[in-house]
Amino acid sequence: MLINQKALLFPKRDMPGSMQMAMDLMMLEKTRMQSNISFALRFYTWEGCWLSIGKNQKILPRHWLELVRERKLQIVRRPSGGKAVLHSGGLTYSLVWLSPPRKKHEAYYQASQWLIKGFSSLGLNLKFGVQSSSQEEGNCFATSTLSDLVDPEGIKRIGSAQFWDKGNLLQHGEIVLNPPKKLWLDLFKTKAPKAATNSIPRKNLDQKLYQACLNFWPQFEWEQADFTKKEFDQISKSSEKFL
């Protein structure tokens, strides 16, 4: 990476899933519009219970749609690939990297090291999964591939997905903390993963992980950033396409 490049940190927000997906893409666009910015990071939570599905996930099980009709769930389509992810009781991260390795697995590896080191400092050792990606399994957390991070019990603790555009990387992922047992069972017909160990703080976890990211990439000059009113208007307008 280049020395003296700047990186942006956006404020944590709790918003509907469609807004979050549109905001991720706006963060990518805002970052690459500035020549001296190489990296951006934000954390967020979801307003309500949301299921995000990959951009190529076309056929949805009937009982998923029934949960939507019963207003127990909302569904949003991610700009990234991968399978379905339930967002409830966890923390989501999103990063933009304008000069990542061109090989997908290498990009995943390097873009996840700060998470591994951050959780290690909190007493939880994570490693990459080893399973092959299943095309038949609709639940992202049913398998743990090289793009995922699992805990010592083999439980996937972080599932990530990527969106590439013009050589620039947007990677976002769900950190599973307190998954809803009943909804998880209704949705995926399997038990929810165990809650994260108590050594992982539920409050201000984003700040601790931000510090881990800063420590891992000290060559970046980090700045607080946010979206303008005009950008928020664009986010709101474009959010509809993700529903």
Side-chain angles (χ1 to χ4, degrees):
M1 297 181 193
L2 298 176
I3 303 299
N4 299 323
Q5 285 289 292
K6 293 184 178 181
L8 303 178
L9 176 67
F10 288 80
K12 179 185 172 187
R13 284 191 168 88
D14 183 75
M15 301 180 73
S18 55
M19 289 288 289
Q20 299 288 22
M21 295 301 94
M23 195 167 287
D24 276 354
L25 290 184
M26 179 59 74
M27 183 173 71
L28 170 61
E29 187 62 27
K30 187 178 180 75
T31 301
R32 62 186 178 190
M33 286 178 62
Q34 304 177 61
S35 60
N36 62 336
I37 304 296
S38 299
F39 199 90
L41 175 70
R42 77 184 189 99
F43 296 93
Y44 54 92
T45 52
W46 302 59
E47 191 176 283
C49 296
W50 287 80
L51 183 76
S52 72
I53 58 176
K55 63 179 180 180
N56 298 316
Q57 200 169 357
K58 304 300 183 184
I59 300 176
L60 305 185
R62 185 175 299 175
H63 70 277
W64 290 8
L65 303 178
E66 184 61 31
L67 289 170
V68 173
R69 285 191 289 270
E70 294 173 358
R71 297 187 177 181
K72 296 178 180 178
L73 182 73
Q74 297 181 77
I75 295 179
V76 65
R77 188 173 296 278
R78 297 189 307 272
S80 56
K83 301 300 181 181
V85 178
L86 178 59
H87 305 275
S88 179
L91 176 68
T92 307
Y93 79 90
S94 178
L95 63 86
V96 167
W97 190 0
L98 298 190
S99 300
R102 290 298 179 257
K103 292 185 178 180
K104 184 177 180 180
H105 288 309
E106 181 63 22
Y108 267 124
Y109 178 83
Q110 292 194 30
S112 300
Q113 291 301 312
W114 64 282
L115 287 166
I116 293 174
K117 293 183 181 299
F119 276 94
S120 177
S121 70
L122 297 172
L124 181 62
N125 294 322
L126 300 177
K127 62 181 181 179
F128 291 98
V130 296
Q131 294 173 286
S132 298
S133 179
S134 171
Q135 296 302 316
E136 297 180 0
E137 189 63 64
N139 171 14
C140 171
F141 282 82
T143 58
S144 53
T145 70
L146 290 172
S147 59
D148 305 310
L149 296 175
V150 301
D151 66 19
E153 295 184 58
I155 298 172
K156 183 190 291 191
R157 196 52 61 189
I158 306 176
S160 302
Q162 294 182 336
F163 170 74
W164 290 82
D165 187 52
K166 300 176 182 178
N168 304 141
L169 172 64
L170 166 67
Q171 179 171 310
H172 48 194
E174 180 70 4
I175 302 169
V176 177
L177 299 173
N178 299 310
K181 295 181 180 180
K182 178 64 166 59
L183 181 56
W184 194 289
L185 182 61
D186 290 344
L187 190 59
F188 299 126
K189 306 303 180 184
T190 187
K191 290 184 178 180
K194 291 182 181 179
T197 176
N198 290 334
S199 69
I200 305 303
R202 274 40 173 189
K203 184 177 181 180
N204 297 327
L205 176 59
D206 59 304
Q207 292 300 312
K208 295 183 181 299
L209 293 179
Y210 160 61
Q211 187 61 48
C213 191
L214 188 151
N215 292 341
F216 187 72
W217 276 304
Q219 63 268 54
F220 287 145
E221 181 183 339
W222 288 84
E223 293 183 351
Q224 299 289 327
D226 207 346
F227 301 103
T228 65
K229 182 181 182 304
K230 181 179 180 180
E231 289 167 340
F232 265 113
D233 290 341
Q234 292 175 339
I235 289 168
S236 181
K237 183 177 180 180
S238 64
S239 66
E240 298 178 0
K241 71 180 182 180
F242 296 104
L243 294 172

